[in-house]
Amino acid sequence: KAGVTQTPRYLIKTRGQQVTLSCSPISGHRSVSWYQQTPGQGLQFLFEYFSETQRNKGNFPGRFSGRQFSNSRSEMNVSTLELGDSALYLCASSPIAGGSYEQYFGPGTRLTVT
Amino acid sequence: AQKITQTQPGMFVQEKEAVTLDCTYDTSDQSYGLFWYKQPSSGEMIFLIYQGSYDEQNATEGRYSLNFQKARKSANLVISASQLGDSAMYFCAMREANTGFQKLVFGTGTRLLVSP
């Protein structure tokens, strides 16, 4: 069974630009969560999608948005990029919402904003 | 609000020895889950072990065991017989169990270095 895949793996953008990151969950998984990891703030929850609906959102500005498609694939978008958005963005998928199941993480997308 | 505290920024251990990574948590919830993840330099978060707040026995997964002390709100990870490949960042995390949400709250991590 293929794991969680994220594309692209590395990305360099300029301040003010926007970026879209993609996450394909494990087949059959319907819940997708996104996290931002920076040296200063550590790992922070961005949002969670389940059955194409955003179920939960972290404390991030509205420049950060996401969506989930009918095949459970998810995208997150960051508009008007700032230097502080440079981070590793991790996507995680789960079989269901809630319960004791662990989350399976992808390899991440490393975003650099210059 | 939930909070995870990992007080050891770095730990050193020799190969084949056991090591304990500390984790304390704070929550007002009665039902929650505790996780440990390993993050190698490649960046991927690898699930290691899970402990539910109502589980009476400590969780074990191969060389990993979780020393769960509910009254002290601690969930320490014990790695037995360390291997060179265990060198990585280790994160403790918590999730509310009643909400149905998957949100994890992470600690700041501990960097483990295993020497030959």
Side-chain angles (χ1 to χ4, degrees), chain A residues 19 21 34-38 44-47 49 54 57-67 75-89 111 113:
Chain A
V19 67
L21 311 182
W34 289 88
Y35 294 84
Q36 181 197 63
Q37 185 177 23
T38 61
Q44 293 186 290
F45 171 79
L46 278 157
F47 26 63
Y49 286 88
Q54 187 182 92
K57 190 177 191 305
N59 188 24
F60 279 83
R63 299 185 298 107
F64 292 81
S65 62
R67 60 177 174 170
E75 290 181 346
M76 67 163 282
N77 184 276
V78 188
S79 62
T80 320
L81 283 166
E82 301 177 359
L83 295 178
D85 297 333
S86 294
L88 179 66
Y89 290 89
L111 171 66
V113 181

Side-chain angles (χ1 to χ4, degrees), chain A residues 9 31 33 35 37 43 45 48 55-56 88 90 94 96-103 105-107, chain B residues 35 37 39 41-47 50 91 95-97 99-107:
Chain A
R9 293 292 311 279
S31 172
S33 299
Y35 294 84
Q37 185 177 23
L43 280 149
F45 171 79
E48 177 197 349
R55 289 167 43 85
N56 200 2
L88 179 66
L90 291 161
S94 301
I96 61 172
S100 64
Y101 295 96
E102 67 271 22
Q103 294 187 49
F105 281 82
Chain B
F35 300 77
Y37 284 88
Q39 187 178 42
S41 56
S42 60
E44 184 173 358
M45 299 287 282
I46 301 168
F47 167 77
Y50 168 84
F91 291 93
R95 184 181 69 201
E96 292 177 15
T99 62
F101 297 150
Q102 294 289 354
K103 174 185 175 181
L104 290 172
V105 175
F106 285 89

Side-chain angles (χ1 to χ4, degrees), chain B residues 53-87:
Chain B
S53 59
Y54 292 116
D55 295 340
E56 294 185 353
Q57 291 199 340
N58 287 341
T60 60
E61 291 283 352
R63 295 186 299 112
Y64 305 106
S65 61
L66 198 153
N67 184 1
F68 181 46
Q69 298 186 43
K70 194 170 181 177
R72 298 180 60 184
K73 293 190 174 180
S74 75
N76 298 339
L77 177 70
V78 180
I79 305 175
S80 63
S82 297
Q83 302 172 355
L84 295 178
D86 293 335
S87 293

